[in-house]
Amino acid sequence: TLSVEDAWSMGFDHIALAAGAGRPTILDLPNGLARGVRAASDFLMALQLTGAAQSDSIANMQLRLPVVVIGGGLTAIDAATEALAYYPVQVEKFLHRYETLVAEQGKLAVEAGWDDEEREIAAEFMNHARAIREEKAQAAREGRTPGIAQLLKSWGGATIAYRKRLIDSPSYTLNHEEVEKALEEGIYFAEGLTPLRIDVDRWEHAQTIRFAVQALDEEGRWHKTREVDLPARAILVAAGTQPN
């Protein structure tokens, strides 16, 4: 019963549309809810609300490489770029805390409660953090910008897997400059991929994801040509939303 003009005339400065957020699309895949799989919107929201990306935050949000983002919209672009920005902060924080605790309590005390999976992840994080630390030190000695993006790529980086072509994706049609910047940051964009299943390791954590590779024929129809497995320790689903 209140028009926009009425609101302005009554002295309001802003109008917020709170018509309900869409429900994220859940992919019906084998192991589709395995550890390491989450909605991209949930990942982005948690990253902002917990402050996990802040170096002085005690919040923890585990993200492992390689990252595969399923979808082709701007949320997929955001998820891929934020994942690569967050990962170095995460592993450096982990190494700093580990070294601090070991100095205070000793290595045996710190690792006493770790199981085999935790030891594997800890070693992975600390090896990556030490490589980042060394690259930063080397870059400082040589007076150049640290090549963190190259390190992230060597560990699997982040890949956006979209069922059609890049030029067909919502992110490209809505904001091609954002896609261009993502590619400059080292994000991979894989075209014509439809997810089939997620394979897990012995701890039931995502390990690889299988895709059907599709190609476009001369008549504009998509056809499956083969299947391919991509390594994926983190799978972020940005496959759109449904009315909620």
Side-chain angles (χ1 to χ4, degrees), residues 107-182:
K107 187 174 186 291
L108 291 178
V110 172
E111 300 183 10
W114 294 3
D115 60 26
D116 289 343
E117 182 188 20
E118 288 166 339
R119 292 179 189 279
E120 179 180 296
I121 296 173
E124 178 181 302
F125 281 9
M126 288 191 287
N127 287 339
H128 290 175
R130 290 186 178 109
I132 291 171
R133 178 187 288 174
E134 175 57 31
E135 171 58 20
K136 286 182 175 179
Q138 184 71 18
R141 289 192 293 269
E142 297 174 359
R144 60 175 174 83
T145 301
I148 306 301
Q150 287 72 26
L151 287 176
L152 294 171
K153 273 188 170 185
S154 71
W155 301 325
T159 300
I160 297 173
Y162 185 53
R163 58 191 175 86
K164 294 182 180 179
R165 299 174 300 175
L166 170 62
I167 60 173
D168 300 322
S169 67
S171 57
Y172 185 83
T173 55
L174 290 171
N175 190 346
H176 68 277
E177 292 179 349
E178 190 165 338
V179 177
E180 181 182 358
K181 291 299 181 184

Side-chain angles (χ1 to χ4, degrees), residues 29 34 39 107 112 138 142 178 181 189 196 218 224 226 238:
L29 302 174
K107 187 174 186 291
Q138 184 71 18
E142 297 174 359
E178 190 165 338
K181 291 299 181 184
F189 196 104
L196 299 176
E218 295 178 354
K224 177 180 175 180
R226 58 193 175 92

Side-chain angles (χ1 to χ4, degrees), residues 14-136:
H14 301 278
I15 295 176
L17 301 180
R23 183 176 67 246
T25 300
I26 304 299
L27 299 180
D28 186 15
L29 302 174
N31 296 318
L33 295 177
R35 293 168 56 224
V37 183
R38 67 190 304 171
S41 55
D42 173 58
F43 165 72
L44 291 169
M45 186 68 75
L47 192 61
Q48 295 302 319
L49 293 182
T50 65
Q54 303 300 319
S55 59
D56 58 351
S57 170
I58 62 171
N60 292 308
M61 188 171 69
Q62 183 174 286
L63 179 81
R64 300 175 69 186
L65 296 181
V67 175
V68 171
V69 182
I70 299 173
L74 291 172
T75 299
I77 298 291
D78 286 346
T81 54
E82 291 289 347
L84 286 193
Y86 170 63
Y87 186 80
V89 176
Q90 172 194 229
V91 296
E92 287 181 298
K93 281 170 60 176
F94 185 90
L95 179 59
H96 174 69
R97 291 178 186 176
Y98 175 82
E99 291 174 338
T100 301
L101 289 171
V102 168
E104 293 176 353
Q105 303 174 17
K107 187 174 186 291
L108 291 178
V110 172
E111 300 183 10
W114 294 3
D115 60 26
D116 289 343
E117 182 188 20
E118 288 166 339
R119 292 179 189 279
E120 179 180 296
I121 296 173
E124 178 181 302
F125 281 9
M126 288 191 287
N127 287 339
H128 290 175
R130 290 186 178 109
I132 291 171
R133 178 187 288 174
E134 175 57 31
E135 171 58 20
K136 286 182 175 179

Side-chain angles (χ1 to χ4, degrees), residues 192-207:
L193 297 184
T194 299
L196 299 176
R197 75 166 190 265
I198 295 166
D199 293 317
V200 297
D201 62 17
R202 60 192 175 111
W203 294 295
E204 299 186 350
H205 192 289
Q207 181 168 268

